[in-house]
Amino acid sequence: MSARELQAVIGLEVHAQLLTASKIFCGCETSFGAPPNTHLCPVCSGQPGVLPVLNARAVEHALRLALALGCRIRRRSRFARKNYFYPDLPKGYQISQYDEPLAEGGAVELVLEGEPRRVALTRIHLEEDAGKSLHEGARNLSRIDLNRAGVPLVEIVSEPVIESPAEAAETMRALRAILRCLGICDGNLEQGSLRCDANVSLRPRGARELGVKTEVKNINSFRFVQRALEHEIERQRSLYERGEVVVQETRLWDAERGHTAPMRSKEEAHDYRYFPEPDLPPLVIEEALLERLRGELPELPLARRLRLMRELGLPELDAAELTRERELADYFERALAAGAPARAAASFVRGELLARLDDARGALAAPVSPEALAELLALVESGRVSGKLAKEIFARMWQGGGSAEAIARAEGLFQESDAAAIEAEVRRVIEANPAQLAQYRAGKGKVLGFFIGQVMRATGGKANPALLNQLLRKHLDGDEGGGK
Ligand code: ADP
Ligand code: MG
Ligand code: ZN
């Protein structure tokens, strides 16, 4: 196989921790970062003789996702035990779903380099998270924290249809945006509330049959989704080039070394001996519940982005940034509803607001409300405040200085739109600078900038620029018969 003809095929298995107050089968807390082994009970620590009770909120969250992604929802799904041994799995099995998952089909929609793409999904199912091994390399010691054991997860499995590492990373970004927009997962790759296993194989371009794949784990950022896959594709490509074969295996991404390495296998045989979970009844989804959840679905980030572009003529970049977080988009649209012009609002939200927020999700709690921003932008629109001073006013509003109008009044920041006053300044400046006037009249048009600067300085930057320009030209060109 010549390496040039090889084409990558990628499929993602994504795990998302659902934002519920308690674990999926018991009442233990789910919050991240508690001291090890403090969120534990007989159920999630795998004591004998206890029974799991399904968390209804977790089911609702998973259904929200399935509805948002357009999956077919199974009205009766089933939990299954996935048996394997690992120290972080106290029961010796994970409760998951197997041959009757909650939802099948659907797709993640995204835009890649301006082109709409649809990444088809295989399935979405519910399961419980395992605990966490804390390895202390220096002391050659491993400890187990079971706080995470039993935290609800959805697993989202894509079809092997992703064509490039960049598309894989974008799929993750789109999924994260949807999860956060739905309010069902905080999507933190670093802390592991959103995780991605990337499967990749190569095949001759145009071939239908899939090549042997490897699965790359331990990817904890969007950048690494792309880099790990790029590396793995190169590794496989060079194997084929040397006439060797790719071995189906799980490999770990090592971000420090920038490569993947085979993982100490924990379940080489892939024989999980799945069997139906005897302690949980089938999960039956009522139509009424689906109806309610459908009605509660928010507008999804991509749809909102496209709508803002369509309705307001916003550039793609603005629209994408504004719809990155639901709260930010809400802020922007509330400013519009209060009368703010779209372009100016977009630029203020992207520039002034975002620069001052640690997290765009806090937009609606910002010290400057969307309505207050709209008031400020109305002053700019009407020419009473210059665009430049508007930023200063915004900064004062942020510090609790009051409304735009009040600040502009108190600080004397209103733009000078009194033609007579500006004209007086123009006359004075022209008289004071005969040399520059001569240059201008000799055809040096650039000297106009000098005069603008002089009048602006004299008026503390407050002269209405359009008016100033007009008056300057009138006097520079006009007085002596437009002699240029
Ligand atoms: P496994 O049994 O190893 O878990 P699955 O068939 O369940 O494999 O698929 C797991 C993930 O791997 C899915 O996202 C799927 O799209 C992807 N996948 C399966 N086969 C391939 C392949 N040959 N190349 C790339 N991705 C693949
Ligand atoms: Mg699988
Ligand atoms: Zn518990």
Side-chain angles (χ1 to χ4, degrees), residues 9-13 122 157-160 199-201 210-213 215 248 270:
V9 176
I10 299 164
L12 298 180
E13 293 169 285
T122 312
V157 182
S158 89
E159 290 284 287
N199 299 265
V200 58
S201 62
L210 293 171
V212 175
K213 70 162 168 120
E215 177 177 353
Q248 175 155 353
H270 263 250

Side-chain angles (χ1 to χ4, degrees), residues 23 26-28 39-41 43-44:
K23 293 185 179 180
C26 65
C28 292
H39 295 162
L40 268 192
C41 75
V43 173
C44 57

